[in-house]
């Protein structure tokens, strides 16, 4: 167990993918078999595959860049325009900390060098330095704070993988996708929507674009984490990303709504909104993180940083389907995740009713229904669709595993009879 905690992220991910292949969970057959009637056909097939792989790299860079830029503008707006430093600091933390932790894990395990730290730190350092130490006007301050959320890692990875269409193992493989898509994306979307709720007004175009881009990045990250090592076409990746949208959207909308409804609000003044009174959602997120960490520790061993990343990612997503070691515990975990929103929603409604009766505050549930009805309808539809897709996926996976085991037993029996 001591040696297991010091294994590299690359070795751990390789072992888990190989384990999934043996269980029949991951299909690693090539997207296009480069064989045919002649060398010309093989070259055409290889060229088509290279174009598909490059298109997937461009899609990943485009989604990540748009999400980072929009999150940067939201961060600058929260700090400079709305004057909410606490909420702005929370947004900056969920954007920067996962990147730094991921880089430290990869550098420690030899998948990148510490001298490449500039890829993660150059824009945040320059942005904060310009904001705190230069005498800038308001527009330049907004630009400086917006730059703090940008990272060069996607562009460096794009350059590294452009020649072959595949990222070499030194770039970190799926770990940057995990940090961006399953931690930064959903957390920033929930905080952005929560900020919109606090203003008691409809979201601006910048805030709305940030929420949509974060949901897209989260769906892609969730899809990539569930099936690492599988070669798919661009259309298949887009289809997998769309399949993950309902589940990710529901979790983001639910956490933002829960934070708003359960927030302790004294008088709703500007000074009140500048303080952190979201105690209930903080306890819920911390408890969810600890439950995920305990669930992973009980089923498999992994390094501490990797455990932290997976535990944080599972707050908005399910355990990765590629981890076959979790197959026996996946169903109880999903049952818990289905019951969790019901219990939390009942608690939130009770808190809102008691708060309204004692402090004569406006009914926040009524406000959400009146001003954010499309979001509430989307949350309800996403919950139903996510539950249906999850049930269908679980049935299909169990069916495939039963077929694979039956084929293995049949082959063993045939060999025994032949002997």
């Amino acid at each position: 167990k001591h040696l297991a905690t010091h294994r590299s992220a690359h070795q751990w991910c390789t072992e888990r993918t190989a384990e999934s292949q043996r269980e029949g969970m991951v299909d690693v057959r090539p997207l296009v078999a480069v064989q045919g009637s002649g060398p010309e056909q093989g070259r055409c097939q290889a060229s088509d595959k290279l174009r598909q792989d490059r298109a997937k790299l461009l899609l990943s860079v485009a989604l990540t860049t748009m999400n980072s830029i929009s999150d940067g503008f939201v961060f600058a707006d929260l700090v400079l325009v709305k004057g909410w430093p606490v909420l702005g600091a929370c947004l900056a933390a969920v954007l920067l900390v996962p990147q730094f932790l991921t880089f430290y894990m990869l550098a420690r395990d030899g998948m990148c060098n510490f001298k490449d730290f500039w890829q993660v730190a150059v824009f945040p350092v320059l942005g904060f330095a310009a904001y705190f130490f230069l005498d800038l006007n308001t527009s330049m301050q907004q630009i400086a704070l917006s730059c703090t959320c940008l990272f060069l890692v996607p562009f460096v990875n794009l350059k590294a993988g452009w020649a072959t269409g595949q990222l070499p193992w030194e770039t970190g493989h799926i770990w940057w996708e995990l940090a961006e898509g399953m931690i930064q994306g959903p957390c920033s979307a929930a905080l952005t929507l929560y900020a919109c709720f606090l203003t008691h007004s409809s979201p601006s175009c910048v805030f709305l674009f940030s929420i949509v881009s974060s949901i897209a990045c989260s769906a892609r990250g969730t899809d990539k984490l569930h099936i690492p090592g599988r070669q798919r076409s661009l259309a298949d990746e887009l289809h997998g990303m769309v399949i993950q949208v309902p589940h990710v959207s529901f979790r983001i909308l639910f956490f933002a709504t829960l934070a708003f409804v359960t927030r302790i609000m004294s008088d709703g003044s500007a000074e009140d909104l500048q303080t952190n009174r979201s105690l209930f959602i903080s306890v819920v997120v911390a408890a969810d993180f600890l439950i995920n960490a305990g669930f992973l520790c009980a089923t498999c061993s992994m390094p501490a940083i990797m455990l932290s990343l997976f535990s944080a990612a599972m707050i908005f997503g399910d355990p990765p389907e590629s981890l076959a070691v979790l197959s026996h515990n996946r169903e109880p975990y999903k049952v818990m995740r289905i019951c969790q929103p019901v219990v939390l929603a009942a608690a939130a409604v009770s808190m809102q009713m008691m708060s309204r009766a004692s402090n004569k505050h406006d009914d926040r549930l009524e406000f959400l229904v009146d001003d954010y009805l499309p979001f509430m309808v989307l949350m309800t539809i996403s919950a139903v669709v996510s539950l249906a897709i999850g049930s269908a996926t679980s049935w299909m996976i169990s069916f495939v595993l039963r077929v694979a085991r039956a084929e293995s037993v049949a082959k063993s029996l045939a060999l025994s009879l032949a002997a």
Side-chain angles (χ1 to χ4, degrees), residues 251-274:
R251 297 290 292 182
I252 290 173
L253 294 172
F254 178 77
F255 272 100
T257 305
L258 183 68
F260 175 69
V261 174
T262 59
R263 184 184 189 275
I264 301 174
M265 189 175 296
S266 59
D267 55 2
S269 62
E271 292 76 12
D272 176 42
L273 295 177
Q274 291 177 356

Side-chain angles (χ1 to χ4, degrees), residues 58-76:
L58 289 175
L59 174 64
S60 178
V61 172
L63 287 176
T64 302
T65 304
M66 289 190 299
N67 187 34
S68 298
I69 293 175
S70 59
D71 287 341
F73 281 113
V74 171
F75 173 51

Side-chain angles (χ1 to χ4, degrees), residues 182 222 226 247-248 251 292 312-319 333 337:
M182 297 194 67
T222 304
H226 281 315
H247 178 75
V248 172
R251 297 290 292 182
N292 295 335
M314 286 167 56
I315 294 177
F316 291 92
D318 291 327
Y333 183 86
R337 292 298 291 268

Side-chain angles (χ1 to χ4, degrees), residues 131-159:
Y131 175 75
F132 285 108
F133 300 109
L134 297 181
D135 186 13
L136 304 175
N137 56 32
T138 304
S139 299
M140 295 303 297
Q141 286 180 344
Q142 288 181 334
I143 295 176
L145 288 182
S146 300
C147 290
T148 59
C149 300
L150 294 176
F151 304 97
L152 289 176
V153 174
F155 300 97
V156 175
N157 290 347
L158 177 64
K159 179 182 177 182

Side-chain angles (χ1 to χ4, degrees), residues 264-309:
I264 301 174
M265 189 175 296
S266 59
D267 55 2
S269 62
E271 292 76 12
D272 176 42
L273 295 177
Q274 291 177 356
T275 59
N276 180 24
R277 295 177 177 270
S278 303
L279 301 179
F280 183 81
I281 190 63
S282 302
V283 173
V284 170
V285 172
D288 206 352
F289 178 87
L290 294 176
I291 291 174
N292 295 335
F295 171 76
L296 292 175
C297 288
T299 52
C300 58
S301 62
M302 61 180 67
I305 296 182
M306 194 183 306
L307 176 67
S308 301
L309 291 175

Side-chain angles (χ1 to χ4, degrees), residues 38-65:
E40 185 66 27
Q41 182 179 359
R43 284 194 295 269
C44 292
Q45 292 174 338
S47 178
D48 292 339
K49 183 178 183 302
L50 179 60
R51 285 195 293 268
Q52 289 272 343
D53 292 338
R54 287 178 174 176
K56 290 186 287 186
L57 289 177
L58 289 175
L59 174 64
S60 178
V61 172
L63 287 176
T64 302
T65 304

